[in-house]
Amino acid sequence: MDGIQTFLKFLMNQKTAIGYSFMALLTVGSERLFSFIAFKCPCSNENFIYGLVFLFAPAWVLLVIGYFMNSRMWKLFTGCCLNPRKIFPKGNSCRFFYVFGQITLNVLIAPVMWLSVALLNGTFYECAMSGLKYPGYLNTLCSNKSIRCWEELNKVACGKTTMSSSESKELKLTLQAQSQVLGWCIIVTTALLSLLTTCCARCQSKISHLQMKFWRIYIEKEREQLEQLFQIYATKLSERNLTSFFENKEPDAFPMPTFRAWEDASQLYSFNSSEQHYSTLHRLVEDGKKDISEERETMLDFVDGQEIV
């Protein structure tokens, strides 16, 4: 029993790594599925557009889905048309671009994974670049090749060219090599930028490493209990209303947060070094009815490795 608990605790501690691993496996599986089932290179003048669509369209879809599924995205934009100060607070008009940039960094993980996997496989890039008619590129690719290379390059991906098999295979391998080099460049660049961004955020952090660990645990527990309380209070309120309706009696008093309290609790969290608050809700509870100042320092997202809400 202790062994099972230890294993479950290990999984909980590594859930971010497990999540990214699952996302990577899902991306690889989706790319292979697209390659074998949906992707059919036309081997014509449409190669370039067709290949680029399969290379970038799924990445764009993943980007949009990532924005949709990011809770901070909707905390940032909900009600902003009625209250522009929400995204452009007084004294800190650049905060919107700062927070939106952080959201975008989180959302870009899935699209970058797709591009990396697709380029490492080389199928989409091979089809796209075999249809490129740019003279400079053709001169480089078809250097020391027969004249048919210029005329039938778009048929190389399908193996329908009249060039010799060795020449056709060499062109195919060259295109795949270019694709894989680009894929590794994206992976290395992304890893380096992630490391530098995280290091910069940690170097500028105004709290210690141990407090960060406590903050991370607090945020997770608050999220879990908030979801549970939503379920409990929604159930109680619905039961109270249905009972009042069917029994035709006055409803019992049911205290609920005010609209202002809901609005204040829904704001994105901003760090203030003079107050030891770990979330918007924590600050709201501690401050009570006092107005929440709009002029606060913005804490970097990387305090907990994921999100501070």
Side-chain angles (χ1 to χ4, degrees), residues 112 182-197:
V112 168
L182 282 176
W184 279 113
C185 286
I186 290 177
I187 293 173
V188 171
T189 303
T190 303
L192 183 60
L193 287 177
S194 298
L195 177 62
L196 291 176
T197 305

Side-chain angles (χ1 to χ4, degrees), residues 29-174:
S30 301
E31 194 277 335
R32 299 308 297 172
L33 192 64
F34 267 74
S35 298
F36 284 117
I37 297 178
F39 185 76
K40 304 293 180 185
C41 188
C43 293
S44 65
N45 292 330
E46 304 299 323
N47 280 17
F48 184 69
I49 295 177
Y50 186 82
L52 289 185
V53 166
F54 270 83
L55 189 60
F56 290 105
W60 176 257
V61 172
L62 288 172
L63 182 68
V64 173
I65 292 175
Y67 278 125
F68 265 111
M69 296 180 65
N70 191 290
S71 61
R72 298 187 79 239
M73 178 77 172
W74 302 117
K75 279 191 174 185
L76 181 64
F77 283 101
T78 300
C80 66
C81 292
L82 299 177
N83 182 18
R85 285 290 184 189
K86 186 173 182 180
I87 58 176
F88 296 108
K90 184 179 179 181
N92 195 2
S93 57
C94 294
R95 181 171 181 260
F96 166 78
F97 303 102
Y98 175 82
V99 175
F100 187 74
Q102 292 179 335
I103 294 172
T104 302
L105 286 177
N106 289 326
V107 168
L108 279 174
I109 294 173
V112 168
M113 279 188 177
W114 169 269
L115 285 176
S116 301
V117 171
L119 286 171
L120 288 176
N121 183 37
T123 305
F124 304 146
Y125 179 91
E126 178 187 341
C127 179
M129 299 308 289
S130 65
L132 184 63
K133 297 300 182 182
Y134 181 65
Y137 178 77
L138 290 175
N139 287 332
T140 302
L141 188 65
C142 295
S143 177
N144 301 322
K145 302 287 190 307
S146 65
I147 191 64
R148 293 175 181 174
C149 177
W150 279 265
E151 300 171 352
E152 300 181 2
L153 182 60
N154 54 14
K155 297 180 180 179
V156 167
C158 301
K160 297 180 179 180
T161 178
T162 58
M163 289 185 287
S164 65
S165 60
S166 60
E167 195 170 71
S168 178
K169 184 178 181 180
E170 184 180 346
L171 287 170
K172 199 175 179 70
L173 291 175
T174 300

Side-chain angles (χ1 to χ4, degrees), residues 178-234:
Q178 291 175 356
S179 179
Q180 291 171 349
V181 168
L182 282 176
W184 279 113
C185 286
I186 290 177
I187 293 173
V188 171
T189 303
T190 303
L192 183 60
L193 287 177
S194 298
L195 177 62
L196 291 176
T197 305
T198 304
C199 287
C200 289
R202 292 300 176 93
C203 290
Q204 297 177 19
S205 175
K206 297 174 181 174
I207 61 175
S208 65
H209 177 69
L210 287 178
Q211 192 174 9
M212 283 185 187
K213 293 184 68 174
F214 175 82
W215 197 335
R216 186 184 305 121
I217 295 171
Y218 172 83
I219 287 293
E220 187 64 31
K221 294 300 180 182
E222 184 183 87
R223 283 177 182 154
E224 292 175 0
Q225 296 186 32
L226 190 62
E227 291 292 333
Q228 293 174 5
L229 286 175
F230 279 169
Q231 294 288 339
I232 292 171
Y233 274 82

